[in-house]
Amino acid sequence: MARRNEEVEALLGEYADLIAITGGDAFKARAYEKAARAIGGHPADVSGLDADGLMEIPNVGRSIAEKVLEYLRTGKVAAVEERRARIPDGVRELIAIPTLGPKKALRLYEDLHISSVDELTAAIEADALADLKGFGEKTQENILHGIRLLRQAGDRIPVHLALDTAEEVLAELSAVTGCESSAYAGSLRRMRETIGDIDVLVAAGRSAPFMDALVSMPSTAEVIAHGEKKTSIRTHKGVQVDLRVLPPRSWGAGMQYFTGSKAHNIRTRTIAVREGLKLSEYGLFDTRSGKSLASRTEEEVYARLGLPWIPPALREDRGEIEAALRGELPEILTERDIRGDLHTHTDLTDGLASLETMVEAAARRGYAYYAVTDHAPNLYMQRMTDEKILAQRERLRELDGTRRRMRLLHGTELNIGPDGEVDWPGEFLAGFDLCVASLHSHFDQDRRAMTRRLVRACENPYVNVIGHPTTRLIGKRPGVDADWDEVFAACARTGTALEVNAQPDRLDLRDEDILRARRHGVRFAVNTDAHSVLHLAHLRYGVGTAQRGWLTKDDVINTWTLTRLRRFLRKSGRN
DNA sequence: GCCGTTTTCGGCCCGACTGTTTTCAGTCG
């Protein structure tokens, strides 16, 4: 059963938004935001906690604990219902538009009764905002741009939400009598960064029990289709799940077919046709005799086509067929290859958990080493000081090697300023085991300035990793504009690694950028940028993205032994 | 609303950017 923390987080987040929109105390709104985040990142399921247990979660006091209990008991919170009655749901949608916050949303609602993104678009197109205070030409342009960005993501959902849903569905279906195999396929299996529908496959003799189990799951909100071969539902979270039940002998062919991609399948079918064969979701057949030649496993199907099994993340027709035919498929990275996380936070800055808690959790993952990289002083809101980071270093050295012999590296996440400068002078940076450096502001510099800025950061002898290099947020913010080939060349030349940030809303670098950077000989670090214990598990999305970028163990510095990693971290030009 | 080796009030994530109301409110990281 899924944890209920996410629902509670969403509810408290909504309440915070409603407070902000209705002009309530800004600190109160922030208190709810903080509590929402803390509950979302809390390792224990809140539905198993009493008031005292809840109040042990940071930023959760008596009042919020009682609201959580009220919600878990009744499914509702009176205070939230009261605010909901004052503000239509659509008004809250508006603040998802970048550059449009609670104040502007309220004005649109009160003055023009706009309560949805569609109504807002129509109003701007009808020039109905002209007389509204604070909505000049440029503001309207920015809002339209924001709406376009939102729409670009379309109906696709982030990969982690899709995976949670898929695992929930599979847990249900695999328990049904007669289930021989079950798995998700489609773009989720290929680990694309966003997912349209979730394709779930079951191998069984009879399909009806599985179709019935899917439509009667508690999380099913709507049945789109309910047939013998295929059933589609939509969950309460708005995710569409398509279930197909195959005869067990067709399992491999079905997985191959429904995993895609379309382009990859066109290639495999073309190979089949040339050999006088026909490939479908039921198997690989001899065209003339109709005899089935392979279907039970994917390996058999690929083998009969003269190909080795191709990892799903590569199945995009980006050269994997050719590489497979030549016997040159890369041995791509796996999650097991990762020996440590090199970008993580603690509650010394904006993380949720203490140094000790994060280290303990990392050790439980079996890491050989682990870097703590809290924010540096130039990100003013984090209030970092020399004293604080040095005190952390001292504590970290005490903990080093004490948790399952995991070694600790003391690092920091520096801020790359507009001219490529970073927080501390070289002599102070020399005290860190590694430095990640990332962009946190001035995202709209022109290409030349941005390129220069990133290259300068690479040239800093103490900067080892560029964190979330393009700084995009999926569905919210495009990446910065730079001459990436020049940046990648600078990384390769200076021995600076590029991060594959595993946060599901970042996945930055993305797959295409990785492919391009790799051709320059760049090294990579697949990091979670964890701000809580739970985030450490997001590594799988970073690994998936790295796989889509064809990365091997050798390309990724945090698969290396500590000795080799340390050698890499000592860049030339250091004192 | 939460929190306290400042402990029951008075702080709380600070500063920059943007557009526009032209002196500052709103938004963002």
Side-chain angles (χ1 to χ4, degrees):
Chain A
M1 191 59 198
R3 280 162 21 108
R4 302 205 61 192
N5 297 37
E6 283 75 21
E7 316 169 28
V8 173
E9 179 181 10
L11 181 84
L12 297 178
E14 179 188 348
Y15 191 49
D17 285 347
L18 290 173
I19 293 168
I21 294 169
T22 51
D25 178 8
F27 288 113
K28 185 168 154 180
R30 187 175 296 163
Y32 276 96
E33 266 170 39
K34 285 199 289 195
R37 217 163 70 86
I39 288 174
H42 191 67
D45 187 337
V46 284
S47 62
L49 300 177
D50 58 10
D52 287 340
L54 287 167
M55 284 166 68
E56 275 173 29
I57 302 173
N59 303 307
V60 177
R62 172 79 46 199
S63 173
I64 292 182
E66 276 167 8
K67 288 190 176 71
V68 173
L69 289 174
E70 182 187 347
Y71 175 72
L72 293 171
R73 207 171 47 239
T74 68
K76 280 185 181 172
V77 176
V80 179
E81 294 303 317
E82 191 220 316
R83 299 254 179 183
R84 277 180 179 167
R86 286 159 60 185
I87 296 289
D89 211 30
V91 178
R92 205 180 148 232
E93 259 175 48
L94 298 180
I95 67 175
I97 301 169
T99 73
L100 205 163
K103 297 289 187 295
K104 284 197 163 81
L106 184 65
R107 179 158 299 155
L108 287 167
Y109 175 58
E110 286 193 326
D111 292 5
L112 297 174
H113 307 294
I114 289 172
S115 59
S116 74
V117 177
D118 287 339
E119 283 170 24
L120 177 57
T121 313
I124 293 176
E125 279 164 3
D127 205 20
L129 268 54
D131 297 330
L132 202 58
K133 258 190 164 183
F135 288 84
E137 198 181 327
K138 188 72 198 188
T139 298
Q140 296 190 35
E141 218 174 89
N142 287 341
I143 290 174
L144 283 179
H145 179 66
I147 292 174
R148 270 198 300 277
L149 280 175
L150 276 181
R151 295 256 156 89
Q152 255 173 31
D155 296 328
R156 298 185 70 84
I157 56 168
V159 61
H160 65 301
L161 175 57
L163 192 52
D164 288 348
T165 306
E167 286 179 341
E168 205 181 313
V169 169
L170 286 173
E172 199 82 19
L173 297 180
S174 61
V176 174
T177 312
C179 178
E180 291 202 12
S181 313
S182 63
Y184 56 82
S187 52
L188 179 57
R189 185 164 178 238
R190 304 198 313 278
M191 272 286 187
R192 274 194 60 178
E193 60 196 38
T194 60
I195 310 298
D197 308 335
I198 298 173
D199 295 299
V200 173
L201 267 56
V202 164
R206 290 181 55 230
S207 71
F210 299 93
M211 303 308 189
D212 294 344
L214 182 67
V215 299
S216 56
M217 273 181 60
S219 52
T220 298
E222 181 193 343
V223 178
I224 301 165
H226 187 178
E228 191 196 332
K229 295 221 161 77
K230 176 181 166 181
T231 291
S232 296
I233 59 109
R234 200 181 315 281
T235 69
H236 287 292
K237 286 179 183 165
V239 183
Q240 184 175 330
V241 180
D242 296 342
L243 169 64
R244 287 177 173 85
V245 180
L246 306 162
R249 66 175 179 282
S250 297
W251 177 250
M255 282 297 284
Q256 200 281 327
Y257 181 87
F258 288 112
T259 296
S261 65
K262 202 174 206 170
H264 175 86
N265 285 357
I266 289 173
R267 295 295 308 276
T268 50
R269 283 201 294 269
T270 307
I271 292 175
V273 168
R274 280 196 201 128
E275 314 237 338
L277 310 173
K278 185 185 75 137
L279 180 60
S280 76
E281 62 265 51
Y282 298 104
L284 184 61
F285 302 93
D286 184 284
T287 313
R288 270 196 303 187
S289 68
K291 191 179 160 221
S292 172
L293 302 172
S295 63
R296 193 163 280 277
T297 67
E298 280 195 330
E299 283 83 353
E300 285 174 23
V301 173
Y302 278 109
R304 190 61 188 72
L305 293 172
L307 296 167
W309 180 81
I310 299 176
L314 300 184
R315 300 183 196 174
E316 298 288 346
D317 191 22
R318 289 176 181 157
E320 74 278 8
I321 301 278
E322 291 76 3
L325 287 169
R326 287 197 308 269
E328 289 172 9
L329 269 184
E331 243 185 75
I332 55 171
L333 179 75
T334 68
E335 207 175 337
R336 278 193 309 278
D337 295 329
I338 302 288
R339 288 183 199 240
D341 202 326
L342 299 181
H343 182 177
T344 70
H345 296 272
T346 74
D347 60 5
L348 185 62
T349 56
D350 56 353
L352 288 170
S354 66
L355 174 67
E356 287 78 4
T357 306
M358 293 300 283
V359 166
E360 188 65 51
R364 275 200 303 274
R365 292 182 60 86
Y367 286 147
Y369 47 80
Y370 180 76
V372 176
T373 57
D374 272 312
H375 289 288
N378 290 359
L379 206 61
Y380 301 103
M381 62 185 186
Q382 305 295 348
R383 301 179 146 184
M384 181 53 80
T385 62
D386 295 10
E387 293 71 31
K388 279 161 83 174
I389 200 108
L390 291 174
Q392 181 188 57
R393 182 176 303 162
E394 202 171 314
R395 180 69 192 126
L396 180 137
R397 298 296 184 221
E398 287 166 14
L399 288 171
D400 184 15
T402 64
R403 299 292 184 276
R404 303 182 188 213
R405 278 189 245 154
M406 183 178 76
R407 298 304 308 272
L408 295 175
L409 300 173
H410 193 231
T412 179
E413 181 182 10
L414 301 167
N415 180 59
I416 304 176
D419 296 319
E421 73 281 13
V422 297
D423 305 62
W424 279 296
E427 60 265 28
F428 195 83
L429 294 179
F432 288 102
D433 298 316
L434 94 160
C435 296
V436 176
S438 321
L439 304 172
H440 297 104
S441 63
H442 302 84
F443 302 136
D444 48 9
Q445 284 180 326
D446 65 44
R447 177 176 293 212
R448 256 187 74 189
M450 189 61 81
T451 306
R452 228 184 78 80
R453 179 183 181 188
L454 285 164
V455 170
R456 268 199 64 191
C458 292
E459 286 169 346
N460 185 313
Y462 299 97
V463 170
N464 304 113
V465 178
I466 303 294
H468 46 74
T470 77
T471 313
R472 68 152 177 179
L473 291 175
I474 296 172
K476 278 201 187 140
R477 186 173 70 203
V480 299
D481 188 20
D483 181 341
W484 289 107
D485 284 311
E486 198 175 324
V487 176
F488 297 156
C491 288
R493 171 168 53 82
T494 58
T496 311
L498 284 167
E499 181 171 80
V500 178
N501 187 296
Q503 286 191 40
D505 60 342
R506 289 192 186 273
L507 298 178
D508 181 13
L509 288 176
R510 68 207 286 198
D511 50 5
E512 290 99 334
D513 300 327
I514 295 171
L515 284 164
R516 203 161 133 198
R518 187 168 184 267
R519 287 196 285 271
H520 286 270
V522 175
R523 303 292 195 180
F524 301 83
V526 181
N527 296 328
T528 63
D529 193 0
H531 285 68
S532 75
V533 167
L534 293 172
H535 291 168
L536 293 173
H538 286 165
L539 185 73
R540 61 199 300 192
Y541 307 113
V543 169
T545 303
Q547 291 179 335
R548 293 178 58 81
W550 291 49
L551 294 189
T552 66
K553 258 174 82 167
D554 199 50
D555 298 317
V556 178
I557 63 172
N558 49 328
T559 68
W560 297 353
T561 62
L562 185 57
T563 310
R564 184 174 174 200
L565 174 65
R566 282 196 193 277
R567 203 155 50 225
F568 178 83
L569 296 175
R570 282 192 298 273
K571 288 173 81 171
S572 57
R574 291 186 57 151
N575 309 321

